[in-house]
């Protein structure tokens, strides 16, 4: 635990700063305008939603402009942070007094530190590119105004999530992105499966949100506050059991949002949304919010090793799970979704490793944001050219007709494989390396999981790439695959360039490690993996090469059947997402239904019976009492007199 | 206390600034009498409405001036010899209640003045003296006669209500009681439609009111026998001194005076008049009566109980606890089977009287502020609710039977929506003033001891019963198909609109952001002893 006290205090925001030299500085200069980050896209969403049909013509452009404006602000904030010493890179921006409830004072504020600004840059840059892409992709959709409004809403909520300085405000952003995600998955909700996919995502996310809510309540109970500064400062004196509980609740929240085991089932179905949405929300940004949450709460996890272990286990299971499922999917988007799940598993695992892994988790998150978004946009481009077909068995040899898509997708493919010098090599291999650090059984189990995962990743991504762009033509004659318009290809090119070089810029220079150091502490260079780093790198590359070779043999060299073969038991299981829906149904839904039925029965017989009986009693009494009210003044007067006599009589007797 | 006459006549010193609001209302009422006598018929309506509204607003201004600049809240009106032993005491609770009553009166006056395009106030008969259905009545209607004297009567009643909680001795209290009651008896009998019901209601109210006044006077006599004075402070001193040979007179005296006062608020078993009178009286009068009389009478109860006889609380409190419990139960249970909207609201007002009594019985200063808040909140909601009841008509007359309200939500979503909101306030649903008010009276009661806690539990159970009643009406309005659309909401003039809007707005504001009014009630909750 190389976490220094300064670092902990450096995460503060929104609190009185008097006499606390180490606390975050109040933002000044350009950083004081950081609220515009959220305000711009929010304004865009508001204008488009409230403006109605009048904004149809210029609304999408306006939304795109708002997103770029947010990027410019984010870049300005980044520059102003860069201008500060690394220990001073934590600025707080007080927004307003949110919950002034007696002793519980909650300020709504923003925290501008390297971690949040890294996210801001990712979200606004990739988000803006995807806005541009959507201009082309959604051009013929009659309802694209609503689409752009939701996209802007998402960007605003996501920025609020990462910029918040308290868990409660994070929760607001958390729910905001969940809402935007729900609205966008179900954007084409006239199609019942799409609508039910949105509902599925909604329900799975609610389970995670319960965790978030419980975590916040537990924090309030333990620390008396929910802002980062107080919570982090209170960790030192907190009961470890409580910290473990909080950590597990946070992990549950992260599992829901990031589609980690056991709440992973919604992500595949979420591909029902328009492809730009899949790229932005369900690949690059929102689904990584769970990783952000864990890294942001690193003080809690560092002090609760059991919760940390749980994070690693969840990450390891999910990365293997996603990789296996990815091997069997023929739907290009679902294969990418499985890959996303698996890659986030890597990040989660890294985040659970502690200080040795935090920076790499975020690093991989950033590079993944680029290459996965790029590949999703590539997939969208392919679908655009193939009349919205998604079955890869109907593709093949598209490299000739869609050159730009092919090259940009290829760069993303190389990046995710971890081929040097592309982005994934610098981030993913570091995670594999970090997973091998430690003592006892852990480095071997988790290290091997990441290593094997890398091999499977290489196989299924190559399978996807070869099935789509190489091998024999399998598309029907009436399909006329064509390259997409400039608004779509330019963002793909930009992201591909990022996939290629982002790792090279941030990795070998240790730029990302230094940048994040004020937040997550030292990066653990002093640790040594159980297998020395250089042989491990060679081994990884060997495994990856093996995966690629296998895929080449089966999906490029050999002919790919148009209809999927029956396949082995494992293949069939993987096609069914390893029976996750069936498991959910058997383990959760059926008992739930039976429980509800039992409760309904109890409610009708017991509760309603009692309530009904009571109501009948009251009603009956009421009807009888009503007869006393006979309308005769003399009987009224008699009642009064009776009352007086009884009262006086009783008082007289008692005294 | 010396009962001998003072050696020389000492003129009472009067603080005219403190008295000004009451005097203005009395003055406006007198002016109204002159208008009725001397102005031609055609000019009367406008003159009356003008005088009434101007008078009430002026009284409010005077009250605000007195409360803010003159600091009358801390000074009693000196009685004999300069001691704070006045007949009229203008202190915090008085100021709060007078302001509340003036606000009620202003809203009620607007509701009263509603014409729906006719010549005179729509709710009142053109000729009160004519036998219902007689040729004279038809003649009066033909020539466009109207009973414009309702406005001065109304103002007299308002003045009585303002004086009632300020009365520092039992005789002044009795005078105020009669000043507020007599005009009300008359107003109750002047309904334009269903006149026989209205006249019957007026007569019942008068008879039973006279009956209860007798109890009040008898109790006063007993207390005079006990203390040798009718001043509340003297009675309090006598209880503290325990020097009287006639100790036995104290508790019966207190209870009999309370009977007179509890009659006015409609507490069980002195409530029997309430449903009949509420149903029979012209609807704007019902609203005013339900809000204003309750506020004034509870003000008087508070003063009598907290200033006069609080030291003997052990003796009379059990009886009042039983009354409060019965009031809540009977009000809530009987409202379940009501089929007439006005009767239903009457039973609701009985239940509310029980809830307020729970606050009174806490015998804490916080209880006083809770009761003050409750009175203001309940009154504003009630006036608005009765104003809406007056708007729902079938064939020109008010559609007060519940079955006539079915499906109203579909045809008149705004009216039904506002009424549903007011009903939720009666039920005490959060974010309405009803919730804040119930909280304000139940909290001190809960802290006051076992009896208070039992009453609070009972109060919550009764609230649950009343929720059923109110929600049933909402279901009726929104989820029941109506057989026809003969029932309609008449287009209200700006008068009724202002009344309903103000009442609803207060209901909302006092539910969402009640802090300032709660603070005001708390600051005004100290009686001058």
């Amino acid at each position: 635990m190389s976490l220094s006290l300064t670092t902990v205090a450096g995460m503060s925001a929104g609190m009185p700063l008097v006499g606390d030299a180490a606390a975050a500085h109040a933002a000044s200069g350009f950083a004081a305008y950081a609220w515009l980050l959220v305000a711009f896209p929010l304004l865009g969403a508001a204008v488009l939603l409230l403006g109605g049909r009048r904004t149809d013509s210029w609304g999408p452009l306006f939304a795109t402009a708002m997103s770029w404006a947010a990027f410019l602000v984010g870049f300005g904030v980044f520059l102003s942070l860069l201008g500060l010493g690394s220990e001073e890179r934590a600025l707080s921006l007080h927004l307003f007094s949110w919950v002034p409830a007696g002793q519980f004072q909650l300020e709504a504020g923003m925290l501008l530190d390297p971690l949040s600004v890294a996210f801001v840059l990712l979200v606004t840059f990739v988000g803006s590119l995807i806005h541009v892409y959507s201009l082309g992709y959604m051009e013929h959709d009659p309802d694209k105004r609503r689409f752009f409004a939701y996209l802007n809403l998402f960007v605003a909520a996501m920025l609020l999530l990462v910029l918040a300085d308290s868990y409660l405000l994070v929760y607001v952003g958390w729910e905001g992105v969940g809402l935007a995600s729900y609205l966008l998955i179900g954007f084409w909700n006239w199609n019942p499966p799409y609508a039910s996919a949105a509902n599925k995502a909604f329900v799975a996310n609610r389970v995670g949100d319960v965790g978030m809510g419980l975590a916040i309540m537990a924090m309030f109970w333990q620390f008396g506050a929910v802002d980062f500064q107080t919570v982090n400062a209170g960790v030192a004196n907190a009961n470890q059991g409580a910290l473990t509980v909080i950590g597990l609740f946070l992990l549950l929240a992260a599992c829901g949002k990031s589609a980690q085991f056991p709440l992973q089932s919604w992500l595949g179905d979420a591909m029902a949304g328009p492809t730009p949405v899949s790229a932005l929300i369900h690949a690059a940004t929102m689904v990584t919010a769970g990783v952000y949450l864990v890294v942001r709460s690193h003080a809690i996890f560092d002090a609760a090793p059991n919760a940390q272990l749980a994070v690693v286990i969840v990450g390891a299971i999910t990365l293997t799970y996603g990789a296996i499922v990815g091997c069997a999917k023929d739907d290009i988007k679902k294969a990418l979704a499985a890959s996303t799940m698996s890659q986030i598993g890597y990040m989660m695992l890294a985040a659970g490793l502690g200080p040795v892994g935090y920076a790499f988790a975020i690093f991989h998150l950033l590079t993944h944001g680029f290459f996965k978004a790029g590949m999703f946009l590539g997939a969208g481009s392919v679908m655009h050219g193939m009349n919205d077909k998604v079955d890869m068995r109907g593709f093949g040899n598209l490299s000739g007709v869609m050159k730009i898509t092919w090259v940009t997708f290829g760069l993303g493919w190389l990046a995710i494989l971890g081929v040097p010098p592309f982005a994934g090599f610098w981030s993913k291999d570091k995670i594999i390396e970090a997973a091998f650090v430690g003592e006892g059984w852990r480095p071997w189990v988790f290290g091997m999981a990441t290593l094997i995962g890398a091999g499977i990743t290489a196989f299924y991504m190559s399978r996807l790439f070869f099935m789509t762009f190489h091998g024999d033509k399998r598309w029907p004659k009436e399909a006329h695959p064509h390259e997409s318009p400039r608004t779509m290809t330019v963002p793909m090119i930009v992201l591909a360039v990022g996939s290629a070089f982002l790792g090279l810029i941030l990795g070998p220079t240790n730029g990302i490690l230094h940048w994040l150091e004020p937040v997550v502490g030292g990066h653990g260079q002093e640790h040594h993996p159980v297998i020395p780093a250089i042989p491990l790198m060679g081994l990884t590359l060997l495994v990856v090469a093996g995966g690629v070779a296998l895929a080449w043999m089966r999906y490029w060299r050999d002919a790919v059947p148009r209809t999927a073969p029956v396949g082995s038991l494992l293949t069939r299981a993987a096609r069914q997402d390893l029976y996750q829906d069936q498991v959910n149904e058997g383990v959760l839904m059926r008992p739930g239904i039976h429980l509800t039925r039992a409760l309904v029965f109890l409610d009708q017989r017991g509760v309603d019976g009692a309530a009904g009986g009571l109501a009948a009693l009251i009603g009956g009494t009421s009807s009888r009492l009503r007869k006393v009210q006979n309308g005769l003044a003399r009987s009224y007067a008699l009642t009064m007199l009776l009352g007086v006599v009884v009262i006086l009589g009783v008082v007289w007797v008692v005294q | 206390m010396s009962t001998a006459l003072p050696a020389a006549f000492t003129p009472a010193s009067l603080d005219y600034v403190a008295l000004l609001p009451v005097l203005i209302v009395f003055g406006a009422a007198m002016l109204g009498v002159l208008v009725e006598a001397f102005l031609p018929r055609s000019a009367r309506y406008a003159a009356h409405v003008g005088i009434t509204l101007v008078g009430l607003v002026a009284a409010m201004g005077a009250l605000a001036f007195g409360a803010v600049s003159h600091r009358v809240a801390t000074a009693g009106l000196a009685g004999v010899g300069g001691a704070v032993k006045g007949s009229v005491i203008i202190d915090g609770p008085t100021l709060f209640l007078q302001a509340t009553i003036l606000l009620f009166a202003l809203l009620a006056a607007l509701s009263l003045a509603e014409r729906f395009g006719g010549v005179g106030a729509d709710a009142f008969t053109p000729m009160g003296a004519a036998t219902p259905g007689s040729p004279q009545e038809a003649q009066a209607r033909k020539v466009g006669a109207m009973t414009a004297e309702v406005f001065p009567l109304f103002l007299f009643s308002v003045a009585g209500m303002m004086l009632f909680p300020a009365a520092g001795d039992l005789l002044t209290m009795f005078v105020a009681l009669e000043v507020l009651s007599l005009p009300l008896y008359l107003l109750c009998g002047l309904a334009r439609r269903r006149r026989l019901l209205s006249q019957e209601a007026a007569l019942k109210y008068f008879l039973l009111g006279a009956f209860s006044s007798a109890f009040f006077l008898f109790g006063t006599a007993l207390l005079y026998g006990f203390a040798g004075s009718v001043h509340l402070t003297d009675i309090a001193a006598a209880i503290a001194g325990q020097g009287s040979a006639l100790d036995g007179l104290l508790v019966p005296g207190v209870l009999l005076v309370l009977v007179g006062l509890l009659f006015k608020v409609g507490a069980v078993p002195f409530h029997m008049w309430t449903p009949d009178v509420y149903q029979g009286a012209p609807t704007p009068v019902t609203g005013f009566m339900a809000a204003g009389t309750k506020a004034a009478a509870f003000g008087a109860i508070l003063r009598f109980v907290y200033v006069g006889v609080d030291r003997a609380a052990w003796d009379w409190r059990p009886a009042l606890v039983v009354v409060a419990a019965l009031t809540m139960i009977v009000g809530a249970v009987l409202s379940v089977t009501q089929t007439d909207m006005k009767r239903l609201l009457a039973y609701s007002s009985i239940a509310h009287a029980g809830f307020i009594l729970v606050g009174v019985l806490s015998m804490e200063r916080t209880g006083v502020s809770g009761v003050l808040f409750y009175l203001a909140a309940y009154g504003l909601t009630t006036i608005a609710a009765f104003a809406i009841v007056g708007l729902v008509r079938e064939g020109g007359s008010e559609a007060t039977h519940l079955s006539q309200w079915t499906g109203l939500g579909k045809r008149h979503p705004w009216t039904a929506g506002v009424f549903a909101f007011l009903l939720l306030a009666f039920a005490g649903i959060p974010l309405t003033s009803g919730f804040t008010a119930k909280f304000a009276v139940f909290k001190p009661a809960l802290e006051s001891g076992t009896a208070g806690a039992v009453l609070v539990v009972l109060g919550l159970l009764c609230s649950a019963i009343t929720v059923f009643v109110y929600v049933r009406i909402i279901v009726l309005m929104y989820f029941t198909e109506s057989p026809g659309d003969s029932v309609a909401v008449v287009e209200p003039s700006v008068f009724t609109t202002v009344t309903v809007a103000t009442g609803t707005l207060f209901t909302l504001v006092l539910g969402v952001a009640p802090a300032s009014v709660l603070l005001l009630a708390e600051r005004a909750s100290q009686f001058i002893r």
Side-chain angles (χ1 to χ4, degrees):
Chain A
M1 314 288 154
S2 52
L3 209 65
S4 67
L5 193 67
T6 359
T7 324
V8 173
M11 301 206 22
S12 67
M15 294 293 291
L17 303 168
V18 185
D20 192 358
H25 305 273
S28 59
F30 186 79
Y33 294 100
W35 57 272
L36 287 171
L37 278 168
V38 179
F40 275 136
L42 203 59
L43 175 72
V47 166
L48 263 63
L49 285 178
L50 299 177
R53 296 270 162 218
R54 270 163 294 175
T55 60
D56 270 354
S57 52
W58 50 271
L61 285 173
F62 180 69
T64 312
M66 284 296 110
S67 184
W68 279 112
F71 170 70
L72 289 180
V73 175
F75 197 70
V77 171
F78 169 68
L79 288 182
S80 48
L81 271 198
L82 213 54
L84 298 170
S86 74
E87 288 303 318
E88 293 164 355
R89 281 178 194 157
L91 302 177
S92 74
L93 180 63
H94 181 247
L95 295 178
F96 53 91
S97 182
W98 189 17
V99 186
Q103 299 214 319
F104 180 65
Q105 296 287 336
L106 186 64
E107 309 293 324
M110 288 182 169
L111 172 62
L112 306 167
D113 69 354
L115 179 60
S116 60
V117 170
F119 259 91
V120 166
L121 290 180
L122 173 76
V123 173
T124 53
F125 186 64
V126 176
S128 301
L129 283 178
I130 287 174
H131 272 80
V132 173
Y133 178 90
S134 306
L135 288 176
Y137 190 85
M138 301 294 286
E139 197 179 354
H140 303 297
D141 197 292
D143 219 6
K144 62 181 170 179
R145 175 185 54 85
R146 195 161 55 88
F147 177 82
F148 277 91
Y150 293 161
L151 268 193
N152 261 356
L153 178 68
F154 168 76
V155 171
M158 188 71 202
L159 290 174
L160 184 66
L161 193 165
V162 297
L163 285 167
D165 73 340
S166 71
Y167 283 97
L168 205 58
L169 201 57
V170 167
Y171 198 26
V172 175
W174 193 264
E175 292 300 322
V177 293
L179 171 69
S181 158
Y182 170 74
L183 292 171
L184 284 166
I185 295 172
F187 184 72
W188 289 320
N189 56 14
W190 35 261
N191 188 343
Y194 289 7
S196 70
N199 286 340
K200 189 171 175 185
F202 188 81
V203 170
N205 268 293
R206 290 291 82 63
V207 176
D209 292 347
V210 169
M212 186 78 176
L214 289 174
I216 291 175
M217 289 176 216
M219 274 176 210
F220 184 65
W221 159 68
Q222 184 67 27
F223 306 114
V226 294
D227 60 295
F228 294 150
Q229 187 189 26
T230 320
V231 169
N232 289 341
V235 165
N237 306 320
N239 169 351
Q240 200 186 343
L243 289 177
T244 307
V245 168
I246 294 173
L248 290 176
F249 283 146
L250 287 174
L251 175 62
L252 179 63
C255 283
K257 194 60 82 192
S258 293
Q260 297 293 291
F261 182 83
L263 296 177
Q264 79 285 32
S265 64
W266 64 272
L267 188 61
D269 294 319
M271 296 302 126
T275 305
V277 170
S278 310
L280 177 62
I281 302 186
H282 305 119
T285 54
M286 185 192 83
V287 285
T288 57
V291 181
Y292 169 80
L293 187 68
V294 173
V295 174
R296 180 55 91 192
S297 316
H298 66 94
I300 293 170
F301 283 100
D302 284 345
N306 290 332
Q308 218 167 19
L309 180 62
V311 174
V312 181
I313 292 173
V314 163
I317 292 178
T318 314
L319 83 88
T320 322
Y321 190 108
I324 293 173
V325 170
C327 292
K329 289 289 180 190
D330 290 331
D331 178 328
I332 185 167
K333 283 181 75 180
K334 293 208 169 166
L336 283 173
S339 156
T340 304
M341 193 191 293
S342 168
Q343 295 300 311
I344 296 171
Y346 271 102
M347 299 170 209
M348 203 57 105
L349 183 142
L353 290 173
V356 69
Y358 292 134
F360 296 123
I362 298 300
F363 187 18
H364 192 52
L365 195 158
L366 295 177
T367 56
H368 174 262
F370 274 82
F371 62 67
K372 186 55 66 63
M375 284 193 284
F376 259 113
L377 295 191
S381 174
V382 170
M383 287 161 60
H384 195 75
M386 298 290 290
N387 296 332
D388 287 334
K389 294 277 179 304
V390 289
D391 186 3
M392 295 189 288
R393 292 185 186 277
F395 295 165
N397 205 8
L398 287 173
S399 56
V401 284
M402 307 176 87
K403 283 223 162 44
I404 299 177
T405 308
W406 173 55
V407 171
T408 54
F409 202 102
L411 286 171
W413 168 64
L414 291 171
I416 196 173
L417 257 48
V419 175
F422 300 110
F425 171 73
W426 303 103
S427 53
K428 196 166 78 174
D429 280 27
K430 287 289 180 188
I431 292 179
I432 297 174
E433 206 174 290
F436 273 106
V437 171
E439 288 166 0
W441 57 273
R442 289 189 198 178
W444 294 104
V445 172
F446 299 135
M448 289 314 283
T450 55
L451 187 60
I452 295 169
I456 307 178
T457 305
F459 171 73
Y460 72 76
M461 285 312 297
S462 307
R463 170 180 180 270
L464 191 157
F465 187 62
F466 297 155
M467 275 174 89
T468 307
F469 293 103
H470 298 285
D472 46 347
K473 270 188 209 174
R474 293 183 302 275
W475 20 283
K477 279 201 192 76
E478 61 272 20
H480 298 289
H482 54 87
E483 189 53 275
S484 301
R486 198 62 62 80
T487 46
M488 289 169 69
T489 51
V490 170
M492 284 154 59
I493 293 168
V494 175
L495 288 173
V497 170
S499 316
F501 297 114
L502 190 66
L504 205 58
I505 296 167
L506 296 176
T509 56
N510 281 339
I512 186 74
L513 300 183
H514 290 140
W515 175 251
L516 289 174
E517 194 173 343
V519 181
V520 299
H523 42 77
Q525 281 290 2
E526 63 277 6
H527 299 293
H528 295 288
V530 286
I531 303 175
I534 302 298
L536 183 59
M537 194 189 296
L539 192 62
T540 311
L541 288 174
L542 210 62
V543 172
V544 168
V548 176
L550 188 64
W552 176 77
M553 283 191 294
R554 291 192 55 185
Y555 298 103
W556 190 347
R557 195 192 58 186
D558 299 348
V560 179
R562 295 278 174 89
T563 47
V566 180
S568 68
L569 204 62
L570 183 64
T571 314
R572 273 179 282 162
R575 272 192 204 127
Q576 294 286 318
D577 298 315
L578 298 181
Y579 302 119
Q580 60 189 9
D581 286 340
Q582 286 81 350
V583 168
N584 281 351
E585 197 179 317
V587 176
L588 301 173
M589 216 172 99
R590 291 264 169 73
I593 287 173
H594 286 299
L595 183 68
T596 338
R597 279 190 194 144
L599 283 179
V600 167
F601 179 76
L602 254 179
D603 182 54
Q604 280 173 350
R605 287 300 162 87
V607 180
D608 284 7
L614 201 64
L617 180 73
I618 291 171
T621 317
S622 187
S623 319
R624 273 188 284 282
L625 270 178
R626 246 181 111 181
K627 299 208 176 90
V628 180
Q629 189 82 23
N630 54 12
L632 298 177
R634 59 171 185 271
S635 86
Y636 293 0
L638 196 65
T639 313
M640 281 177 67
L641 187 63
L642 209 65
V644 172
V645 169
V646 167
I647 289 174
L648 288 182
V650 168
V651 169
W652 182 65
V653 168
V654 169
Q655 284 184 337
Chain B
M1 271 296 111
S2 144
T3 49
L5 284 167
F9 175 74
T10 324
S13 63
L14 297 178
D15 184 340
Y16 283 102
V17 176
L19 281 178
L20 196 57
V22 186
L23 294 179
I24 289 175
V25 177
F26 269 125
M30 308 277 195
L31 208 58
V33 174
L34 292 180
V35 164
E36 193 61 25
F38 295 112
L39 242 59
R41 187 180 281 160
S42 57
R44 275 186 217 159
Y45 174 81
H48 275 305
V49 172
I51 289 169
T52 306
L53 295 183
V54 168
L56 289 172
V57 170
M60 279 173 135
L63 190 72
F65 172 74
V68 175
S69 71
H70 205 62
R71 301 196 167 279
V72 285
T74 53
L77 187 64
V80 182
V84 184
K85 207 177 81 174
S87 295
V88 176
I89 300 176
I90 312 286
D91 54 7
T94 306
L95 282 174
F96 188 92
L97 285 172
Q98 287 190 340
T100 310
I101 290 166
L102 279 173
L103 184 60
F104 292 169
L106 197 61
L107 297 183
L110 291 174
S111 177
L112 220 60
E114 179 62 74
R115 290 199 286 188
F116 295 123
V119 276
D122 177 78
F124 297 96
T125 174
M127 191 182 216
T131 315
S134 64
Q136 291 99 315
E137 193 189 27
Q139 178 69 19
R141 195 177 296 128
K142 210 157 88 184
V143 301
M146 58 179 162
T147 42
E149 62 265 37
V150 293
F151 291 100
L153 285 173
F154 168 77
L155 283 175
F156 277 121
S157 182
V158 170
M161 285 176 185
M162 289 171 72
L163 208 53
F164 204 21
D169 66 53
L170 291 174
L171 282 181
T172 311
M173 200 178 270
F174 180 71
V175 171
L177 173 69
E178 293 305 323
V179 170
L180 91 84
S181 299
L182 289 170
L184 272 185
Y185 301 149
L186 277 172
L187 286 172
C188 284
L190 292 176
R192 180 183 289 267
R193 299 168 191 92
R194 301 168 88 182
R195 287 193 60 205
L196 281 176
L197 198 70
S198 170
Q199 292 182 349
E200 182 188 331
L203 198 63
K204 273 182 194 161
Y205 194 17
F206 170 67
L207 282 176
L208 295 171
F211 194 45
S212 78
S213 293
F215 283 117
F216 185 93
L217 273 184
F218 189 39
T220 306
L222 292 182
L223 285 179
Y224 184 81
F226 167 75
S229 164
V230 290
H231 274 290
L232 294 177
T233 42
D234 291 342
I235 294 169
I239 294 169
Q242 289 289 348
S244 173
L246 300 163
D247 270 352
L249 297 182
L250 173 64
V251 177
V254 170
L255 289 175
L256 289 176
V257 167
L258 279 176
V259 166
L261 297 174
L262 290 172
F263 171 83
K264 279 285 150 200
V265 301
V268 178
F270 320 110
H271 68 290
M272 305 289 278
W273 60 277
T274 317
D276 291 11
V277 174
Y278 275 32
Q279 187 186 14
T283 307
V285 174
T286 313
F288 172 63
M289 199 160 60
T293 312
K294 202 157 254 140
F298 265 112
I301 291 178
L302 279 177
R303 185 174 298 281
F304 176 65
V305 158
Y306 279 72
V307 176
V309 298
D310 60 331
R311 286 197 182 86
W314 277 110
D315 294 322
W316 54 259
R317 196 160 168 255
L320 214 55
V321 166
V322 174
V323 168
L326 278 177
T327 307
M328 290 189 289
I329 294 170
V330 170
V333 169
L334 270 174
S335 61
V336 171
T337 42
Q338 297 310 311
T339 51
D340 183 276
M341 190 60 85
K342 284 165 86 176
R343 283 183 89 83
L344 190 148
L345 290 178
Y347 280 105
S348 151
S349 97
I350 293 173
H352 281 287
F355 299 142
I356 302 174
L357 269 179
V358 172
V360 171
L361 284 169
S362 71
M363 300 308 286
E364 297 285 340
R365 199 181 150 182
T366 48
V368 177
S369 65
V371 169
L372 293 179
F373 183 85
Y374 203 120
L375 290 170
Y378 169 74
L380 289 163
T381 311
T382 303
I383 290 181
F386 275 107
I388 290 181
V389 170
L391 292 181
V392 180
R393 305 280 175 109
E394 181 167 20
S397 74
E398 285 170 13
T400 55
H401 198 273
L402 286 189
S403 65
Q404 293 170 299
W405 285 62
T406 48
L408 199 71
K410 293 209 179 69
R411 278 171 283 137
H412 300 280
W414 274 97
T415 312
V418 169
F419 195 70
F421 176 72
L422 297 173
L423 288 178
L424 291 180
F426 283 140
I429 304 294
L431 295 184
T432 63
S433 62
F435 176 76
T436 325
K438 279 211 177 71
F439 188 78
V441 293
F442 283 169
K443 187 162 173 280
L446 202 58
E447 288 160 357
S448 70
T450 320
V454 170
L455 281 179
V456 168
V457 171
L458 208 58
L460 292 177
L461 291 177
C462 290
S463 301
I465 297 176
T466 59
V467 169
F468 163 74
V469 177
Y470 303 128
V471 170
R472 197 181 53 158
I473 300 175
I474 296 176
V475 169
L476 212 62
M477 290 194 300
Y478 280 96
F479 303 108
T480 314
E481 287 299 323
S482 71
D485 53 357
S486 56
V487 179
V489 172
V490 249
E491 191 65 35
S493 71
V494 66
F495 283 166
T496 309
T497 312
V498 167
T499 303
V500 173
T502 313
T504 312
L505 195 70
F506 270 105
T507 306
L508 179 67
V509 168
L510 294 185
V512 177
S516 56
V517 179
L518 276 174
L519 192 71
L520 198 65
E522 192 195 323
R523 287 204 340 237
S525 59
Q526 186 65 55
F527 284 104
I528 294 175
R529 285 161 196 280

